[in-house]
Amino acid sequence: QVQLVESGGGLVQAGDSLRLSCAASGRSFSNYAMGWFRQAPGKERAFVATISTRGVTAYYADSVKGRFTISRDNAKSTVYLQMNSLKPEDTAVYYCAARIPAYTDYENLVRYSVWGQGTQVTVSS
């Protein structure tokens, strides 16, 4: 089983960009589909994006489609979330998570068995 550590969060202005990273330890990273979720204050944790084991397929929440890009580097055991044109409503704690690929309901957070500790992203207006 992998362990996940996110980094790259911070305070930015609306319209800026950030790239989040999620580094995995363990030897089985490439066996997992990966996802990003976020949780804003007072709200439930919500799906942001997911990527297949080899990085061929990705899906996004409608709210970030066209602005965020998920990618992975299996040689580095790292998954990324490039966030462009950030908006104040993107403010949240962002979590990466690992999912067994057999679970295809990728928006369902209970399908993800391993979670990172989260990284805060704050977008000021």
Side-chain angles (χ1 to χ4, degrees), residues 52-92:
S52 59
T53 56
R54 290 184 291 175
V56 173
T57 305
Y59 298 99
Y60 299 90
D62 288 343
S63 59
V64 307
K65 203 171 294 182
R67 299 187 299 123
F68 290 12
T69 302
I70 188 172
S71 62
R72 67 189 295 163
D73 185 338
N74 285 345
K76 296 182 178 179
S77 297
T78 302
V79 62
Y80 305 97
L81 186 68
Q82 178 66 44
M83 306 186 294
N84 298 330
S85 302
L86 282 161
K87 304 175 181 180
E89 51 263 45
D90 295 318
T91 295

Side-chain angles (χ1 to χ4, degrees), residues 8-20 38-41 67-68 83 85-94 118-125:
L11 172 63
V12 297
Q13 293 186 335
D16 286 350
S17 297
L18 271 179
R19 188 176 81 156
L20 305 183
R38 65 187 182 185
Q39 187 165 18
R67 299 187 299 123
F68 290 12
M83 306 186 294
S85 302
L86 282 161
K87 304 175 181 180
E89 51 263 45
D90 295 318
T91 295
V93 177
Y94 283 71
T119 186
Q120 176 71 47
V121 173
T122 303
V123 184
S124 63
S125 58

Side-chain angles (χ1 to χ4, degrees), residues 28-47:
S28 57
F29 175 75
S30 60
N31 292 337
Y32 289 92
M34 298 299 296
W36 285 96
F37 287 74
R38 65 187 182 185
Q39 187 165 18
K43 296 189 176 181
E44 295 186 350
R45 195 169 299 188
F47 169 76

